[in-house]
Structure formats: C-alpha cells, structure tokens
Amino acid sequence: MKTRAAILWEVGKDWSVEEIDLDPPKKGEVLVKLTASGLCHSDEHLVTGDFPFELPVVGGHEGGGVVEEVGPGVDWLAPGDHVIFQFIPSCGRCPSCASGHENLCDLGEFMAVGKQISDGTSRHHTGGTDIGLMCLLGTFSEHTVVNEASCIKVDPSIPLDKACLLGCGVVTGWGSAVYAAEVKPGDDVVVAGIGGIGINAIQGAKMAGARQIFAIDPVPFKWEKALEFGATHTAASLEEAADIISEATNGRMANKVILTLGLGQGTAIGAALAVTSKGGRVVVTNIHPLAETQVSMSALDLTLMQKQVVGALFGSANPRYDIPRLLDLYGRGELKLDELVTRTYDLAEVNQGYDDMRNGRNLRGVIKF
C-alpha cells in the first residue's frame, strides 16, 4: 500500500514528508493506522546526530492507532484493536524481561538499526530504497508495520491522541521519579528540564508524596506549567536554584535530583550533585551525546556524602504493567494527560512542531492523523 511518512535523510536536515510504499506485515507483525504521535525530543537527537541511527529513517516513537491487519502467528491482536506502542519492545522471555526489567529487553539492541526484528529487513520503502524506523516504530507515518513485541492493547474508550504519550514521555518521566529515584513521602525533589519527560517526573514525584518539588528550566512558560503539575518552586538553572533549595530545606538540600534536560551535559552531573543531600540520589534520564566521554563531578562527594548517580531508561518501568496502570489513573482523574498537549499538528507540520519544541513553546506537541 501507499502511505505518507516523515523521513530523515541526512543529519542536520528537516523531516521530509512524502509518500512511501509499505509492505504487508509478516510473521509476528501488525499493520497499524496511526491516530496520533507525540513529538518527543529523542527524535530531535536524530536530526542533530547526538543519537546516531541508520538513515534514512521514518521518525516517531510515541504513537497510538488502530490495527488494520495482523501477520501470521499474531493471535492476541485483531483488526479493529486499539494499541499504543512502547518505544522499547519487550519479548517477555529474555533475562531482563523475566527478572522484571522489560525496559532493558534484549530486543532493544535492534533499535538503532531500525529494521524489523523478525528478519532484519524493511517494510517501508521509497524509490527502491529501504527505510528504517525510529525505535522500530516510525510513528511519523499514517500507517506503519511493527512487531507485536512493541504493541500494548488498550481499551477503545481511551483517546489515543492522549494515550500515545505513554509510549515514551509519560512513563519515562513518571518512572524516573517513582522507580529510578524512589521518591518517598516527605522527600524534597529537583527536576531539571521541564519538557515532556520532566513535567511527568513532577507528576510522579507528587504522586509518590514529595514534600517540595523544585522545577528547573530557563523558560518562564515552563515554570507556570510546572506549578500546575505539582511543583512548589521554580528556577532558571541548577546554579540559581542552589540558594532556593538550601533555604527551603534548612540546608539539607534535595533528597532526589532528576535530570531531564533537552540534551545532557557532563557538567550538569556536578551541578546536580551540588544540590543533592547527604545520602541523596541523582537520576540521569536525559540523553547525552554519544561522543561525550567526560563528566565533571566530585567523586569524593559520592563517598563522603554517600550520594548516588544512577541512569534510567524508560523510567526503569515495566511498560506492559505500568502503561495500563497509568491509563487507569488517567481514567480516575489522578494522572494528567490532556494538559500535557500544548499544540496539535498535521503530519505536514512536523518541522513546525519541532521548531516550537526548540523554542520552548510546548510541553508536548502531538501530530493528529
């Protein structure tokens, strides 16, 4: 069949929206008609080259839609089912999945190649050229073919233009606070970088019982939104926040510091440790450039103050368990999803959406098909 998709052909170039050829699903795969896709910063890392992928690639990894066809062997999904995608597939059988760490599934090794898990080939083509998929999904497309390991079936009553955000940003942010940081009732928490992930880290910290939440971002618009989602204090930078945090905590500083910057920098680790309490924890969720190999921090601080620095992928969550649970909280009015969507776009406006993201105009932009 023919469909439209946004393709990245070269690093540093705009997304090119064009018609492509799409093959039917093979064994273990499904054809999905997209309803919506979030515009996540991770796709911007492809454009800048900070997160190398094989090109050309159909962008997008935060999507939801309706199943139109299933390939051989897929017996738990059928045409008409509503699904959202998890940006890391989970097989349920590898050591990571079996030990309760679906976010670290062995199938993740295929993500940067972008070809189908089943046989290493492409279903997406244009002019005789095979096209890869961002995170094996390619949600910047009216239709896509993905492996069943990337699909989560959801109730058709849930609006997919909101539920799609759980494919990455919501779970990653929420889990960074609840799982990776292990925020406890009464904790003082810093969230640095208030985008689609940071705002959900605030939601997670609040839900976990944080006493005070310090939202750090240079954009005043983000301060307003952070306060709406549960933050108690705001500042433009970690350095500026140091005195605010010290005063608010009687000098103890923050129990947990979560880094959700647009692009991580080695110097940010040291700045985060500087506002972390004794026995506190820094969670690094944001992507750092692949070429960056040095971090500026005091290692002595780790020993003498017993501080921790930990990484978090997909919020250290188990998507097949946590996504339905978070959707239930949304249905109960306890998790904000509608409020995350600042603007919606047509597929042809994908580059405008990323311009708005770069200039701090959105918490999350969403493409609606």
Side-chain angles (χ1 to χ4, degrees), residues 32-38 62-67 80-85 139 152-167 170 323 327 330 337-338 341 344 365-369:
V32 177
K33 181 177 182 179
L34 273 294
T35 299
S37 175
E62 195 177 64
V66 180
V67 175
D81 284 346
H82 287 212
V83 296
I84 59 176
F85 301 132
T139 61
I152 295 178
K153 186 177 176 180
V154 298
D155 190 287
S157 66
I158 299 171
L160 288 170
D161 60 334
K162 309 302 189 303
C164 69
L165 301 179
L166 279 90
V170 175
I323 287 177
L327 285 174
Y330 168 65
L337 291 183
D338 298 27
V341 182
T344 59
V366 170
I367 294 173
K368 294 183 71 172
F369 294 93

Side-chain angles (χ1 to χ4, degrees), residues 1 37 44 50 65 69 74 159 212 230 240 283 298 327 358:
M1 66 179 295
S37 175
E44 175 73 358
D50 292 316
E69 184 181 349
V74 179
Q212 298 178 106
E240 179 184 298
V283 175
S298 169
L327 285 174
R358 294 182 202 106

Side-chain angles (χ1 to χ4, degrees), residues 246-269:
S246 179
E247 181 177 355
T249 62
N250 293 319
R252 294 188 302 273
M253 309 308 282
N255 305 98
K256 309 293 166 59
V257 179
I258 305 169
L259 295 177
T260 54
L261 304 167
L263 180 66
Q265 297 178 331
T267 55
I269 308 296

Side-chain angles (χ1 to χ4, degrees), residues 179-231:
Y179 291 138
E182 296 183 325
V183 173
K184 301 292 193 299
D187 277 353
D188 295 313
V189 180
V190 171
V191 179
I194 310 304
I197 294 176
I199 198 71
N200 287 294
I202 290 174
Q203 286 210 82
K206 180 182 179 183
M207 201 173 293
R211 183 175 77 104
Q212 298 178 106
I213 302 174
F214 303 85
I216 314 300
D217 199 281
V219 181
F221 160 72
K222 303 290 186 68
W223 303 345
E224 299 171 15
K225 291 299 179 182
L227 293 171
E228 291 176 14
F229 277 75

Side-chain angles (χ1 to χ4, degrees), residues 86 88-98 102 105-107 149 320:
Q86 52 186 77
I88 298 174
S90 58
C91 68
R93 296 179 296 275
C94 71
S96 293
C97 285
E102 291 177 2
C105 178
D106 287 353
L107 293 180
R320 294 195 181 280

Side-chain angles (χ1 to χ4, degrees), residues 39 345 348-358 361-362:
L39 297 173
Y345 304 88
E349 300 174 306
V350 60
N351 292 303
Q352 179 60 52
Y354 275 102
D355 186 65
D356 289 340
M357 184 206 70
R358 294 182 202 106
R361 303 186 190 108
N362 289 346

